[in-house]
Amino acid sequence: MQRYLTAFIALLVITVDARSAEAADDETEPTRRVHAFYYPWYANPQTDGHWDHWNHPVLVRGGAPRSFPGGDDIGANFFPQLGAYSSRSREDLAAHMQQLRRAGVGAISVSWWGIDSPTDAVLPRVFEQAARYGIQISFHIEPFGGRSAETTAAALTHLMARYGEHPALYRCPWAEDRPLCFVYDSYLIAPDAWAEVLQPDGRATIRGRPHDAVVIGLWVKKGDDEQLAAAGFDGVYTYFATDGFTYGSTIANWSAMAQRARERELIFIPSVGPGYDDTRIRPWNGANQRSRERGAYYDREFAAAIDIVPPLITITSFNEWHEGTQIEPAVPKRTGDYQYEDYQPRAPEYYLDRTRHWVEQYEAAQ
């Protein structure tokens, strides 16, 4: 009897210690120097009355596209541990914020597609749950319908009017506490048009106004830094998780890019990712597929980013399931004759935990 009692006490001590360790991890503040690109565009019938994005169409060339039905059959090569969730579900959003904390990531850059878009409508709930879990939010301004330099400035006015005082809004401590926004495909608008809103002497400048922000443009081609600097951007980012896809996403170029950015007084923010696979929605895009290599690909990307000691690092992505760049947990699953990819032999949470490892390395390198 004494033997069993001793064993029970030992097990109890181990369990309490394990729970204490978990509590300590929960209490550890995640870094705000790593921002994960976050997509709040998912909908399901249970929460929203319809499917959105899980039923992404197959983007075929020269033929009629077809859409996935949603449910167990979604437009992605991987299947989420949470299932085909809703971005409006407080429960699902809370799960994401807890996963981000586990990963050590304290900020997300939320994909935003314009005033009155579904991604605009869901923002109050994203901010609500982010604040609850100590996560902060920057904005990823997408090429919404009618986007121009001036409508982008109007978008910042709209966003600051609603969230400028919100405790979950990320503000750059190294740039007068201005909020942060990334502009995807910024090259679609001419540099002289951007200069009208981003240069201090521009006709419709945001500089010094209540909606002023640290605005980061996308570096795609060699030489983009010159145009982005002339346009008045505060910095540059690389976004794509496919090493070699663009000049900017090629990690061998990052050291030289960082140097050129410094010379132009631009912030250089590299984007790292765990791999890339969008062949379920773009069957013709195999050339840009990048294997996760059981985590080795992610390790190379993160190590290369840390090596140049940037002020921020972005992750592409937390949950862009269509392109297979997510670090959100994925599970093995089969639907009909299709077998989803997964992280085996790694656990579903592997990329959360590996992110925490690299976050700690990044913080230690400062």
Side-chain angles (χ1 to χ4, degrees), residues 182-298:
F182 299 86
V183 181
Y184 185 71
D185 279 359
S186 50
Y187 60 84
L188 295 175
I189 297 170
D192 57 348
W194 280 122
E196 293 291 351
V197 300
L198 297 181
Q199 291 288 9
D201 59 352
R203 178 177 49 81
T205 186
I206 67 171
R207 302 308 183 191
R209 306 295 196 272
H211 56 292
D212 196 356
V214 175
V215 185
I216 309 297
L218 182 63
W219 191 339
V220 179
K221 302 185 302 297
K222 187 174 183 178
D224 278 355
D225 54 316
E226 182 176 357
Q227 294 190 15
L228 290 163
F233 283 93
D234 300 283
V236 295
Y237 76 119
T238 61
Y239 185 74
F240 300 105
T242 304
D243 185 17
F245 174 57
T246 66
Y247 176 84
S249 70
T250 302
I251 61 177
N253 296 332
W254 286 355
S255 179
M257 292 169 69
Q259 178 60 35
R260 287 200 296 274
R262 283 191 293 270
E263 291 168 358
R264 299 188 183 283
E265 299 184 344
L266 295 170
I267 303 157
F268 179 68
I269 304 174
S271 303
V272 303
Y276 185 95
D277 193 349
D278 65 352
T279 52
R280 199 154 197 235
I281 63 165
R282 299 183 184 101
W284 39 266
N285 200 32
N288 289 316
Q289 184 179 14
R290 297 294 183 272
S291 168
R292 293 185 174 232
E293 301 173 35
R294 300 184 177 184
Y297 183 93
Y298 197 39

